């Protein structure tokens, strides 16, 4: 169970707008997504102390960990999932895992997230031996300011900067928010809508994190503020865009990145219609090396 500090929350320096009154969750992200084994399935918890549906990135991270524990000698290489139902904030989530195929170089697992008999997410995770050397590719990240030179989300709001499309920003300490990532938007919404949207992200450091825990943290980060790029492509204001829900999410892992390191999330939208849209993302480390690729289909409400 998350460690919840129920002492008086000193002013608005902790949590976010969905925090339960007087409750501060100081649990590190790696512990929030931790699973325990129960036979052929694994069980995790939603993030405690907040009144909101379970964040999709939380489910993705726990799916990765469930697959990793079911095939401990291999690395998570990709995931393809469908979001089916919202998760409730106070009930355990179970992750049954079934092996579809095991070969000499690949294992394909079917993994789902279930809560009180309701299936929340279902999909497939591909496991492999891992790459022996860093990847090469044909794309490079855009030239952007360093994250340390950019204001945090609380600083942006205090300064009255334009809306950035990031939901549930922390009131102060990002580590105590429901989505504990330090987010530094690079672009203002007035920028050219055809240009990529860029965000710097980092999670709390996890000493000696293994490869699959690193990838679980990347999966959590991959769902942070991706859908707004669709609204941007539609010409909608970041603070007045139509609500949308994620329908499916695909992710490919190319390299490892230790939690605590800055990630540049470069996003674009190749198709934005009246009822749905497709968001894409590339995650780079500070040296410009690509570490993961993402695609997410969202339904506009």
């Amino acid at each position: 169970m998350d460690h919840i500090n129920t002492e008086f929350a000193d002013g608005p320096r902790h949590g976010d707008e969905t925090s339960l009154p007087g409750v501060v969750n100081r649990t590190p992200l790696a512990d929030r997504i931790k699973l325990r084994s129960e036979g052929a399935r694994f069980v995790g918890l939603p993030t405690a102390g907040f009144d909101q549906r379970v964040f999709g990135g939380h489910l993705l991270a726990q799916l990765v960990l469930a697959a990793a524990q079911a095939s401990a000698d291999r690395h998570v290489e990709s995931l393809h999932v469908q979001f089916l139902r919202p998760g409730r904030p106070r009930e355990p989530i179970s992750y049954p895992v079934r092996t579809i195929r095991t070969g000499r170089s690949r294992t394909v697992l079917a993994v789902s997230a279930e809560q009180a008999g309701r299936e929340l997410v279902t999909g497939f995770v591909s496991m492999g031996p891992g790459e022996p050397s860093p990847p090469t590719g044909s794309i490079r990240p855009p030239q952007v300011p360093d994250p340390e030179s950019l204001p945090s989300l609380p600083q942006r709001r205090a300064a009255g900067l334009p809306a950035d499309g990031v939901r549930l920003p922390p009131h102060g300490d990002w580590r105590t928010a429901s989505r504990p990532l330090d987010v530094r938007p690079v672009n203002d919404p007035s920028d050219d809508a055809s240009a990529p949207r860029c965000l710097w992200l980092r999670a709390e450091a996890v000493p000696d994190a293994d490869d699959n825990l690193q990838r679980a943290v990347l999966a959590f980060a991959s769902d942070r503020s991706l859908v707004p790029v669709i609204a941007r492509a539609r010409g909608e204001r970041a603070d007045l865009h139509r609500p949308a829900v994620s329908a499916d999410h695909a992710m490919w892992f190319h390299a490892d990145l230790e939690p605590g390191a800055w990630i540049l999330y470069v996003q674009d939208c190749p198709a934005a219609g009246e009822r749905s849209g497709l968001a894409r993302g590339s995650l780079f480390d500070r040296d410009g090396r690509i570490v993961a690729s993402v695609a997410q289909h969202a339904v506009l409400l």
Side-chain angles (χ1 to χ4, degrees):
M1 175 69 72
D2 287 353
H3 172 68
I4 302 297
N5 182 345
T6 55
E7 297 176 1
F8 177 69
D10 183 14
R13 295 181 296 172
H14 302 287
D16 56 42
E17 65 185 52
T18 66
S19 296
L20 297 176
V23 178
V24 180
N25 188 332
R26 303 183 188 278
T27 308
L29 175 58
D31 291 329
R32 296 187 189 190
I33 61 177
K34 188 177 295 184
L35 302 178
R36 67 178 185 272
S37 177
E38 290 189 0
R41 63 181 59 213
F42 304 90
V43 177
L45 297 170
T47 296
F50 302 92
D51 185 18
Q52 60 168 276
R53 68 184 184 183
V54 181
F55 173 47
H58 189 95
L59 296 171
L60 294 174
Q62 291 185 327
L63 280 170
V64 168
L65 292 179
Q69 292 184 39
S71 186
D73 60 335
R74 295 194 166 178
H75 304 262
V76 176
E77 293 191 336
S78 67
L79 60 91
H80 298 75
V81 304
Q82 297 277 335
F83 292 107
L84 304 176
R85 297 176 181 85
R88 303 182 182 117
R90 297 177 184 86
E91 300 174 12
I93 305 168
S94 65
Y95 295 87
V97 180
R98 181 169 58 92
T99 300
I100 302 299
R101 183 181 187 277
T102 296
R104 286 183 296 176
S105 61
R106 294 290 181 277
T107 297
V108 178
L109 303 173
V111 189
S112 60
E114 301 174 357
Q115 191 180 54
R118 301 165 61 248
E119 193 168 25
L120 310 181
V121 176
T122 188
F124 298 96
V125 178
S126 177
M127 312 288 294
E131 291 291 341
S133 59
T136 59
S138 61
I139 62 171
R140 297 285 296 173
Q143 295 295 315
V144 298
D146 291 335
E148 293 86 356
S149 69
L150 298 169
S152 66
L153 293 179
Q155 289 170 338
R156 287 180 63 89
R157 281 149 179 77
L161 294 175
D164 44 49
V166 181
R167 293 187 63 246
L168 300 179
H171 289 317
D173 183 358
W174 56 268
R175 296 169 184 83
T176 65
S178 60
R179 302 168 188 188
L181 297 170
D182 187 359
V183 181
R184 308 285 177 98
V186 175
N187 317 89
D188 287 330
S190 58
D191 291 348
D192 180 3
S194 65
R197 178 176 185 252
C198 298
L199 308 166
W200 284 105
L201 307 171
R202 64 171 172 168
E204 190 168 0
V206 183
D208 303 318
D210 64 32
D211 294 349
N212 286 322
L213 177 55
Q214 294 178 29
R215 295 181 180 204
V217 172
L218 276 176
F220 184 97
S222 73
D223 196 37
R224 186 66 167 118
S225 198
L226 181 57
V227 167
V229 75
I230 298 173
R232 191 168 183 260
R234 287 169 48 85
E236 297 172 352
R237 283 177 48 183
D239 57 342
L240 292 176
H241 63 80
R242 283 174 61 185
V245 294
S246 303
D248 53 73
H249 190 100
M251 187 170 187
W252 299 263
F253 300 93
H254 312 304
D256 297 313
L257 184 71
E258 292 186 6
W262 284 105
I263 309 163
L264 179 62
Y265 202 176
V266 181
Q267 305 170 345
D268 68 5
C269 174
E274 285 299 315
R275 296 186 176 91
S276 65
L278 179 66
R280 297 185 302 192
S282 299
L283 293 95
F284 298 91
D285 66 14
R286 293 194 71 154
D287 295 327
R289 179 186 62 159
I290 190 165
V291 295
S293 301
V294 180
Q296 186 175 94
H297 177 237
V299 175
L300 306 178
L301 302 178

